[in-house]
């Protein structure tokens, strides 16, 4: 008995010693692995990389920019269904354990022992808290060391943070495939829905992804993805979080993914979105743009943008088709499965309803074409094959562009198309304006390009912007990046300079040949009117602008001086610095469409400075406004005690005035004359009060029109990226103005015909339309109401700028307009 007691005592002592050694060893291990653990307190102030989202003015999504596509959702905004789905899939005991699930660890250890030596990856037993520790503070290294550190961190995190905070971090950080981080981004990427719209089946699929998103791809590994989704549905049912009927329905739901595109989401808004992205990059840098979670409200009007895109594209295509058919894009071997081969040909994604196609058969009457098939989410070519017909009606425009038969229209389809030709086509529109079923029209990508900008003249908000025919073809934005000569569309700057400095719309300047010695061996410059040999003699400034007379503009620029014109051009933002050469008065400098539209906005709004903007407001990830474009002071807007019959709030505009309001009205009235009876008469079709000016450069390389109503300014430019002649009759009035007309007809269709309002103090006096002199009581045939500032009046005699007597003296008046004085070769002209 005594021996037994001694043996028991020995065992107890040995056990105690072993226990103490074990505790010491465990304590030592904990101390060893704890001493270099990451600081978990950083989770408190953790700011994950969140995507920047850009919205149009109506709130529709325009673009998303991120390196990791993530939207951060507070746990309160996550639906219970989504939370339960992730708990069912990852950690059903999350709200019960203290950071470590010991039963789960035992199962993982048993499985590891069974698979020992098989080279299989060990099964994890990580709780959600452990995954937070790993994802935020550790690496993905597969080792016992990392697992020990993970467990230690998990216990510390559980003591420091609430369960909801830990779950919030997890649901926003976890990678779920297809570039999506967090449940909010994944919901958009996979299903184009917010998390609040997810069905049971969709929530279950997202919850299935954290284990292995690449092996649960909805297309590449469809069956496995459905199997794992159904497993999560079963766990939801088992835990009592959904009903049996919901589970049965969810298992039957097909796994269909609605892929959400990156980049611009508003059709035709790609150039605008990219311009906003560049602006944000310059303001805040790369990290803030792609990780800062900015919310950007832009000025884009989606309806106007769609109209601008369509009218601009139509204008470019109409001009290009008039030049003739240049041939197929490429040639394709159509033997075998032509769809797979055609799918590999790069096509433009932003020119709908145009579609790439290949000619399968052709004869005299028609050609059968096969359209490029789409690709599924996994990249595989769709098995669907669509075909259509191009008849003679679809190729009538395709006259030969070069060679001995240049300009000849096609009489047979086979003259234009042959099997293997890769082309673009879109639905054929019949004479009744309806789509002809099954028939298509041949298209070709235009070589000519251009740009359009539509702006609110009072605020500078860019409502629409088109930077070219296709952003997918060229990301070069011709509205903001292409510096081209504006030609005669610059003349209103010259004339407004004169009007702001003592001249009137009735000031008379001679239109006649002129020679200017440019000095320093540069030779003699002889500016000419567009009509070359045609000169009109003495002309009022109004008529000179209406007819876009170059020699009058040059004489006027001589009279007021180029330095003053350069100062006004800088005020208006057209040029940063304008050289003191008279040719620049005719628009020889280079500027952009956006700058020109901004300048005309200042004419339209009465002379107030306008700063163009594509952005209304920027908010940071917490909703704080960090930028807003509108800097006006609102007096009385802050009413903390509510409405108590106080005076209405007032908006105080502190913006600089760059042009006298009466001058702005005078030049606007003169540009109305350009539309009514000048170089832009095509704009009369809009049926509303419109003012504007055309522009055409030397050798017809650039065609411009900038015009405006009281509430909208539109600028259009057309030209080749590598400047070349557009054609003998290619003027701003023939090419650019019709595009602006088509846009404004639709954009202003529902707007009242509001006239331009004269400012207080302006005097409207009836004058002779030809001479500018005050009209007499009996003059009724050719009189107009002209705008004069206080202290100015119509001339009582005929004073002409630009005529000298034989002795070289400049007379102040010319009693009679003797046209013989202004013929080429007549002395006394300069």
């Amino acid at each position: 008995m005594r021996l037994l007691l001694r043996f028991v005592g020995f065992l107890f002592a040995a056990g105690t010693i072993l226990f103490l050694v074990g505790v010491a060893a465990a304590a030592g291990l904990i101390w060893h692995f704890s001493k270099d653990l990451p600081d978990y307190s950083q989770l408190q102030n953790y700011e994950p990389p969140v995507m920047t989202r850009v919205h149009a003015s109506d709130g529709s999504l325009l673009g998303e920019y991120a390196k990791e596509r993530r939207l951060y959702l507070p746990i309160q905004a996550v639906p219970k269904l989504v939370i339960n789905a992730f708990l069912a899939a990852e950690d059903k005991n999350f709200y019960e354990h203290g950071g470590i699930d010991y039963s789960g660890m035992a199962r993982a250890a048993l499985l590891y022992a069974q698979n020992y030596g098989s080279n299989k990856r060990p099964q994890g037993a990580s709780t959600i808290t452990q995954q937070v520790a790993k994802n935020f503070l550790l690496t993905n290294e597969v080792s016992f060391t990392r697992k020990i550190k993970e467990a230690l961190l998990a216990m510390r995190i559980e003591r420091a943070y609430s369960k909801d905070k830990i779950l919030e971090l997890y649901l926003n950080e976890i990678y779920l495939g297809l570039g999506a981080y967090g449940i909010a981004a994944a919901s958009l990427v996979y299903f184009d829905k917010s998390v609040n719209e997810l069905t049971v089946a969709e929530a279950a699929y997202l919850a299935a992804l954290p284990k292995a998103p690449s092996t649960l791809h909805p297309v590449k590994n469809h069956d496995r993805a459905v199997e794992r989704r159904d497993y999560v549905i079963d766990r939801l049912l088992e835990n009592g979080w959904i009903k049996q009927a919901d589970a049965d329905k969810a298992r039957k739901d097909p796994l269909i993914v609605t892929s959400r595109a990156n980049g611009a989401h508003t059709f035709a808004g790609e150039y605008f979105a990219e311009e906003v992205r560049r602006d944000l990059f310059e303001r805040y840098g790369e990290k803030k743009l792609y990780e800062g979670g900015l919310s950007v409200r832009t000025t884009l009007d989606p309806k106007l943008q769609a109209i601008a895109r369509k009218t601009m594209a139509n204008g470019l295509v109409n001009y290009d088709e008039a030049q003739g058919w240049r041939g197929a894009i490429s040639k394709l071997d159509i033997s075998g499965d032509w769809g797979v081969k055609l799918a590999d040909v790069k096509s433009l994604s932003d020119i709908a309803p145009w579609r790439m196609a290949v000619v399968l058969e052709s004869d005299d009457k028609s050609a059968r074409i096969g359209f490029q098939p789409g690709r599924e989410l996994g990249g595989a070519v769709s098995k669907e094959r669509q075909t259509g017909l191009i008849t003679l009606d679809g190729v009538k425009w395709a006259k030969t562009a070069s060679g001995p038969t240049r300009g000849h229209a096609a009489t047979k389809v086979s003259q234009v198309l042959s099997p293997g030709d890769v082309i673009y086509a879109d639905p054929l529109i019949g004479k009744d304006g309806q789509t002809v079923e099954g028939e298509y029209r041949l298209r070709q990508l235009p070589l000519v390009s251009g740009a359009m900008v539509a702006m609110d003249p009072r605020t500078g908000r860019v409502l629409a912007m088109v930077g070219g025919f296709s952003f997918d073809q060229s990301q070069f934005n011709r509205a903001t990046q292409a510096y081209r000569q504006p030609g005669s569309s610059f003349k209103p700057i010259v004339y407004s300079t004169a009007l702001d400095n003592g001249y009137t719309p009735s000031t008379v300047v001679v239109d006649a040949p002129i020679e200017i010695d440019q000095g320093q061996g540069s030779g003699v410059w002889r500016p000419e009117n567009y009509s070359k040999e045609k000169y009109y003699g003495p002309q009022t400034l109004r008529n000179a602008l209406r007819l876009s007379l170059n020699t009058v503009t040059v004489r006027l620029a001589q009279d007021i001086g180029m330095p003053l014109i350069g100062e006004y051009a800088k005020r208006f933002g057209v040029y940063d610095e304008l050289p003191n050469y008279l040719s620049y008065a005719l628009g020889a400098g280079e500027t952009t469409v956006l700058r020109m539209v901004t300048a005309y906005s200042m004419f339209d709004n009465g002379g107030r400075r306008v700063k163009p903007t594509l952005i209304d407001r920027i908010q940071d990830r917490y909703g704080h406004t960090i930028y807003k474009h509108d800097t006006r002071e609102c007096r009385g807007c802050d009413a903390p005690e509510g409405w108590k019959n106080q005076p209405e709030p007032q908006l105080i505009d502190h913006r600089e005035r760059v042009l006298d309001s009466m001058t702005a009205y005078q030049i606007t009235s003169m540009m109305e004359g350009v539309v009514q009876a000048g170089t832009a008469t095509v704009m009369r079709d809009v049926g509303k009060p419109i003012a504007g000016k055309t522009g055409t450069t030397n050798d017809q390389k650039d065609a411009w029109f900038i015009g405006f109503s009281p509430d909208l300014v539109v600028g259009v430019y057309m030209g080749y990226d590598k400047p070349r002649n557009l054609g003998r009759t290619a003027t701003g009035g023939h090419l650019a103005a019709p595009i602006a007309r088509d846009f404004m007809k639709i954009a202003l269709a529902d707007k009242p015909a509001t006239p331009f309002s004269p400012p207080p103090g302006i005097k409207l006096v009836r004058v002779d339309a030809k001479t500018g002199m005050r009209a007499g009581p009996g003059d009724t045939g050719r009189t107009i109401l002209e705008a004069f500032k206080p202290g100015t009046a119509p001339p009582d005699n005929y004073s002409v700028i630009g005529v000298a007597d034989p002795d070289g003296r400049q007379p102040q008046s010319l009693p009679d307009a003797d046209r013989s004085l202004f013929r080429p070769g007549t002395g006394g002209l300069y």
Side-chain angles (χ1 to χ4, degrees), residues 70-293:
R70 180 188 285 105
L71 294 170
Y72 200 90
L73 276 184
I75 193 66
Q76 295 84 357
V78 183
K80 192 66 176 176
L81 170 64
V82 176
I83 290 176
N84 288 340
F86 277 85
L87 294 181
E90 295 293 317
D91 189 359
K92 71 173 183 177
N93 298 320
F94 172 72
Y95 279 97
E96 281 75 45
H97 62 63
I100 300 175
D101 186 352
Y102 294 103
S103 61
M105 290 177 65
R107 287 194 302 271
L110 180 61
L111 189 62
Y112 175 75
Q114 292 174 348
N115 294 331
Y116 184 77
S118 64
N119 292 325
K120 290 185 178 180
R121 181 185 175 97
Q123 177 178 315
S126 296
T127 63
I128 283 177
T129 312
Q130 287 176 276
Q131 292 184 56
V132 167
K134 179 190 71 173
N135 292 337
F136 285 85
L137 304 171
L138 299 172
T139 67
N140 288 322
E141 174 192 3
V142 180
S143 67
F144 285 111
T145 299
R146 194 264 292 169
K147 293 297 291 184
I148 293 171
K149 290 183 176 181
E150 182 184 289
L152 292 172
L153 279 171
M155 290 187 289
R156 292 186 179 185
I157 290 170
E158 287 275 351
R159 290 195 296 269
Y161 304 108
S162 68
K163 286 286 188 178
D164 283 349
K165 179 63 177 178
I166 295 168
L167 188 59
E168 178 182 295
L169 291 170
Y170 172 76
L171 292 176
N172 283 286
E173 178 69 17
I174 193 71
Y175 178 64
L176 296 172
L178 298 186
Y181 291 79
I183 55 171
S187 180
L188 291 172
V189 168
Y190 283 97
F191 303 112
D192 200 13
K193 292 180 177 180
S194 73
V195 291
N196 295 297
E197 300 172 299
L198 292 174
T199 65
V200 172
E202 291 165 345
Y205 174 67
L206 294 184
L209 290 170
K211 289 291 185 186
S214 61
T215 60
L216 297 175
H217 193 283
V219 176
K220 294 179 181 178
N221 307 102
H222 182 269
D223 292 343
R224 187 172 179 182
V226 171
E227 180 184 353
R228 177 66 182 173
R229 180 202 69 177
D230 291 349
Y231 166 81
V232 177
I233 294 171
D234 291 341
R235 299 291 75 74
L236 281 167
L237 179 63
E238 180 183 297
N239 295 330
W241 290 335
I242 60 173
K243 297 179 181 178
Q244 183 67 55
D246 295 329
D248 294 341
K249 180 181 182 302
R251 291 191 202 97
K252 293 177 182 178
D253 284 350
L255 179 56
I256 300 175
V257 170
T258 304
S259 181
R260 185 181 184 88
N262 294 319
H265 295 281
T266 297
F267 174 70
E270 297 87 353
Y271 284 106
F272 189 100
E274 175 59 15
E275 196 67 24
V276 171
R277 188 200 66 81
R278 281 196 291 262
D279 189 341
L280 295 173
F281 185 90
E282 291 175 3
R283 287 174 188 265
Y284 304 114
E286 181 178 5
K287 184 175 179 63
K288 191 82 168 179
L289 169 61
Y290 292 105
E291 301 179 11

Side-chain angles (χ1 to χ4, degrees), residues 314-546:
N314 287 347
L316 298 175
V317 169
N318 291 340
Y319 170 83
D320 188 75
E321 289 186 352
Q323 312 310 304
W325 168 245
R326 295 187 300 275
I329 299 169
S330 62
K331 205 77 172 176
L332 194 68
D333 178 8
I334 57 175
S335 60
D337 189 348
W338 54 266
V340 173
K341 299 174 185 177
L342 186 59
D344 291 333
V345 180
K346 174 70 171 75
S347 62
L348 302 182
S349 61
D350 58 346
I351 57 174
W354 292 21
R355 296 174 63 188
M356 180 172 279
V358 62
V359 178
L360 303 175
E361 303 168 357
S362 69
D363 55 31
D364 292 351
K365 294 184 178 180
S366 66
R368 189 167 71 91
I369 58 174
F371 289 103
Q372 186 178 51
R375 290 187 181 273
E376 298 171 343
L377 188 62
V381 177
S382 171
K383 293 182 173 61
E384 184 181 7
R385 301 289 180 267
Q386 295 182 358
T387 61
L389 284 180
I390 295 180
T391 61
L392 188 59
D393 286 339
V395 298
K396 278 183 177 179
W397 67 268
K399 63 184 181 183
T400 309
S402 60
T405 59
R406 183 177 185 274
H408 290 196
T411 57
K412 301 176 182 178
V413 175
S414 57
Q415 292 173 335
V416 180
L417 299 174
S418 59
D421 284 350
V422 177
I423 59 168
Y424 280 100
D426 69 344
L428 181 68
I429 306 300
K431 294 180 180 179
D432 58 356
Q434 302 298 313
T435 300
V436 180
E437 183 69 27
E439 292 190 23
Y440 295 85
R441 188 182 191 277
L442 176 65
R443 294 293 192 180
Q444 73 177 356
L445 299 177
L447 291 179
V448 71
S449 196
M452 178 190 291
V453 172
M455 180 180 288
D456 180 338
R458 294 180 178 85
T459 62
R461 299 174 69 248
V462 176
L463 306 175
M465 174 184 287
V466 181
F469 179 72
S470 164
F471 184 79
D472 199 18
Q473 181 185 43
S474 169
Q475 297 184 18
F476 181 68
N477 190 338
R478 294 152 190 87
T480 61
Q481 295 175 305
Y483 280 77
R484 306 296 288 248
Q485 293 179 335
S488 294
S489 63
F490 178 72
K491 287 177 181 175
I493 306 292
V494 178
Y495 284 71
S496 62
T497 303
L499 295 172
D500 217 35
N501 288 276
Y503 297 76
T504 75
S506 289
T507 298
V508 177
V509 181
V510 68
D511 176 40
I514 185 172
E515 294 184 353
I516 298 171
D517 186 356
Q518 302 178 92
Q520 299 180 345
S522 299
V524 175
W525 179 46
R526 298 180 177 86
E528 297 177 316
N529 293 332
Y530 178 77
S531 57
K532 302 297 182 184
E533 295 297 326
K534 191 172 183 179
Y535 297 93
Y536 295 88
Q539 294 294 316
T540 63
L541 294 190
R542 172 180 286 277
N543 286 332
L545 185 64
R546 177 176 64 84

